[in-house]
Amino acid sequence: MEIMKVIDDLVCTRSVRQLEGISLRVMEDQKGKLWCASDPVGVGQGKWVVTTSGSAARWAMPSFSSTTDLTIVGIIDDWEKQKKEIDG
Amino acid sequence: MEIMKVIDDLVCTRSVRQLEGISLRVMEDQKGKLWCASDPVGVGQGKWVVTTSGSAARWAMPSFSSTTDLTIVGIIDDWEKQKKEIDG
Amino acid sequence: MEIMKVIDDLVCTRSVRQLEGISLRVMEDQKGKLWCASDPVGVGQGKWVVTTSGSAARWAMPSFSSTTDLTIVGIIDDWEKQKKEIDG
Amino acid sequence: MEIMKVIDDLVCTRSVRQLEGISLRVMEDQKGKLWCASDPVGVGQGKWVVTTSGSAARWAMPSFSSTTDLTIVGIIDDWEKQKKEIDG
Amino acid sequence: MEIMKVIDDLVCTRSVRQLEGISLRVMEDQKGKLWCASDPVGVGQGKWVVTTSGSAARWAMPSFSSTTDLTIVGIIDDWEKQKKEIDG
């Protein structure tokens, strides 16, 4: 799993039906690259979260039929503080 | 999922039968690398889209038997504007 | 899917039984990195092709029991010309 | 599988139910990038371990329903010594 | 599939039960990065091999229940010579 930051919402004007009604977020990984994740948890902008990828991303959704490959699975409250301690 | 741009169509003169009749697009990711994606949505050149990878790419196709590993799952209308706001 | 070039054949002197009798090719991706792909299409050296990865690579083979994770799924006749037009 | 180092515990204040009760660790790969892994073995900080990714990460957990994509599967006691010998 | 070199054996002092009794090897990819692969073929140090990843890595093992994501599937006898010819 990766540690990413929620940057913004993402709105698709048209999508495959398996993504309809699913909350999408713009995510930033630790190198600053942007991704799109499905969010079954309901996370606000600026929060640090744990994401899972691959088929696990579908298992983490309420319905396995969603066609995501990246899903937010947990919120980390104190990541910036913890990261500073890790970096020493 | 990744945020990519549709660059062009891609035509295979010969393919495995599981890709016959499927629309393929040349895609560019955020670092400028080119990819090939299957397109069940029908997206024109120059559009920004969300793509899904792995087994989810097959689930996003009308038939699961297609052998794609990258599928366009949604169109983002205002990505360039949104990206500018994110980059601040 | 990725756009790669067929460089050479690859011969394994010993392999797991699930790869016996399968044509293997040395592939080069767009960054010059070499890979090994299974080839159910029958492609000559120097050709540009589309490859699929992950479990889709097995679905693209005549037998799903082959243990490949990268399979040639289509031949692109005019990629070098098309790439020049894309690069402008 | 990758060879990674256990850096710290990771606590999620909220998570999807499929991760509840699962021990999470902050991991560092050989390039210094941080990851989050599920730990069914019970490994202390500073230990070098082997991790598996993708669907294998779920198979390595007591319950396949956990939505991890990275799991600790073994402890290496003498990695730093062995790595020195490899680097010559 | 990737072309990698067998560098050394890898011994885990403790592991999940799905890896018990499985031969593990330290591998080096073409960029010098180290990996851990399961070896159902029985390959000596210094040999060049083909590896498969993802769920195919489990299919290549005698038992699908092993939790590997990287498995040696074939031995290449003349890779260094062939590589020189490719590099021209």
Side-chain angles (χ1 to χ4, degrees), chain B residues 9 13-14 16 18 36 67 69, chain C residues 1 41 52-53 59 75 82:
Chain B
D9 293 340
T13 48
R14 262 171 69 202
V16 296
Q18 300 98 322
C36 170
T67 56
D69 65 357
Chain C
M1 292 164 280
V41 181
T52 199
S53 67
W59 286 102
I75 305 177
Q82 188 175 2

Side-chain angles (χ1 to χ4, degrees), chain A residues 13-30:
Chain A
T13 48
R14 263 171 68 202
S15 74
V16 296
R17 66 177 167 73
Q18 300 98 322
L19 278 188
E20 286 169 10
I22 290 175
S23 299
L24 301 179
R25 309 276 183 241
V26 181
M27 312 294 296
E28 188 176 58
D29 69 15
Q30 295 164 61

Side-chain angles (χ1 to χ4, degrees), chain A residues 5 12 16 19 35 38-39 46 51 55 59 63:
Chain A
K5 192 178 186 174
C12 285
V16 296
L19 278 188
W35 298 86
S38 50
D39 177 10
T51 58
S55 52
W59 287 102
S63 165

Side-chain angles (χ1 to χ4, degrees), chain B residues 7-16 18-19 24 26 33-38 55 58 64 67-70, chain C residues 1-3 30 40-42 50-53 55-56 59-61 72-79 82-83 86:
Chain B
I7 298 295
D8 207 346
D9 293 340
L10 189 74
V11 178
C12 285
T13 48
R14 262 171 69 202
S15 73
V16 296
Q18 300 98 322
L19 277 188
L24 300 179
V26 181
K33 186 180 171 182
L34 300 180
W35 299 85
C36 170
S38 49
S55 52
R58 293 201 301 281
F64 185 71
T67 56
T68 179
D69 65 357
L70 188 70
Chain C
M1 292 164 280
E2 285 210 49
I3 296 159
Q30 297 164 58
V41 181
V50 175
T51 58
T52 199
S53 67
S55 52
W59 286 102
M61 296 296 289
I72 297 172
V73 288
I75 305 177
I76 322 169
D77 260 1
D78 56 356
W79 177 248
Q82 188 175 2
K83 179 115 180 25
I86 289 170

Side-chain angles (χ1 to χ4, degrees), chain D residues 1-3 29-31 40-42 50-56 59-61 72-79 82-83 85-87, chain E residues 7-16 18-19 24 26 28 31 33-38 54-55 58 64-70:
Chain D
M1 292 164 279
E2 285 208 50
I3 296 159
D29 68 16
Q30 296 163 60
K31 290 192 170 173
V41 181
V50 176
T51 58
T52 199
S53 66
S55 52
W59 286 102
M61 295 296 290
I72 297 171
V73 289
I75 304 177
I76 322 167
D77 260 2
D78 56 356
W79 177 247
Q82 188 175 0
K83 178 113 181 27
E85 290 168 4
I86 288 170
D87 292 340
Chain E
I7 298 296
D8 207 347
D9 292 341
L10 188 74
V11 178
C12 285
T13 47
R14 264 171 68 201
S15 73
V16 296
Q18 300 99 323
L19 278 187
L24 301 180
V26 181
E28 188 177 57
K31 290 191 171 174
K33 186 180 170 181
L34 299 179
W35 298 86
C36 170
S38 50
S55 52
R58 293 202 301 282
F64 185 72
S65 69
S66 62
T67 56
T68 179
D69 64 359
L70 188 71

